[in-house]
Amino acid sequence: MALFNRKNNDAPATTTVAVDPALAALTGDYAIDPAHSSIGFTVRHAMVTNVRGSFGEHEGSLKLDGSDPANSAASIDVKIASVDTGIADRDGHLVSGDFFDAEKFPLMTFRSTAAEQLGGDTYRVTGDLTIKDVTRPLAIDLEFNGSATDVYGNERVGFEGSADILRSDWGLTWNAALETGGVMVSDKVKLNFDISAIKAAAPQA
């Protein structure tokens, strides 16, 4: 089920595909549910394996438009000190000045600037990712997983997706050379997003 309907390429430029009322009903403001969402990363370690981590503390909001993706938006704030790779010493190194310098730069943020449907249930959200006061554009490809009303009566939507970045573009340059060649930590990092968001209640008349 596609969240947004695109223009029909076979129709005249002034004609658009009719909007599904069920999809239009999803239009609204949503708060990301941190208890049922995950924001994490995967990075190659020592050239031979992957290290995976996540950020336990984050908050954000979505504005969804079931008729026009260009009117949709996303905002996410991630607390750097909440990074968790399963090894305390490694987490301590990541929040230190060698990497994120969490004491000086406590948040990683994303603010969308555009949204588009790529096809079916796949979308691309483009925006500004800020790490350590460095802001650069980032495009995130997301799959819309659907919508549901949970047992508490909350209207939920779900998305999952990823984006590849070069950490050096955001000033994360620490590394160590290996005796066998190569480096300890890859420059390429995959960011992973698994988002569940709850629709805000409609204002009372």
Side-chain angles (χ1 to χ4, degrees), residues 51-106:
V51 168
R52 294 174 173 82
S54 62
F55 296 93
E57 296 182 43
H58 52 83
E59 61 183 17
S61 61
L62 306 176
K63 176 185 176 183
L64 302 183
D65 190 318
S67 303
D68 185 354
N71 292 329
S72 297
S75 174
I76 302 174
D77 293 339
V78 177
K79 187 175 181 180
I80 293 297
S82 69
V83 65
D84 181 8
T85 65
I87 298 179
D89 286 346
R90 182 165 57 205
D91 297 342
H93 192 196
L94 286 173
V95 301
S96 74
D98 281 346
F99 282 95
F100 288 109
D101 198 356
E103 184 174 350
K104 186 176 181 181
F105 306 103

Side-chain angles (χ1 to χ4, degrees), residues 43-44 165-169 172 175 183 185-189:
V43 61
R44 183 76 70 180
I165 67 170
L166 297 179
R167 60 188 178 91
S168 59
D169 286 344
L172 303 174
N175 227 322
V183 293
V185 185
S186 171
D187 191 21
K188 181 180 178 181
V189 179

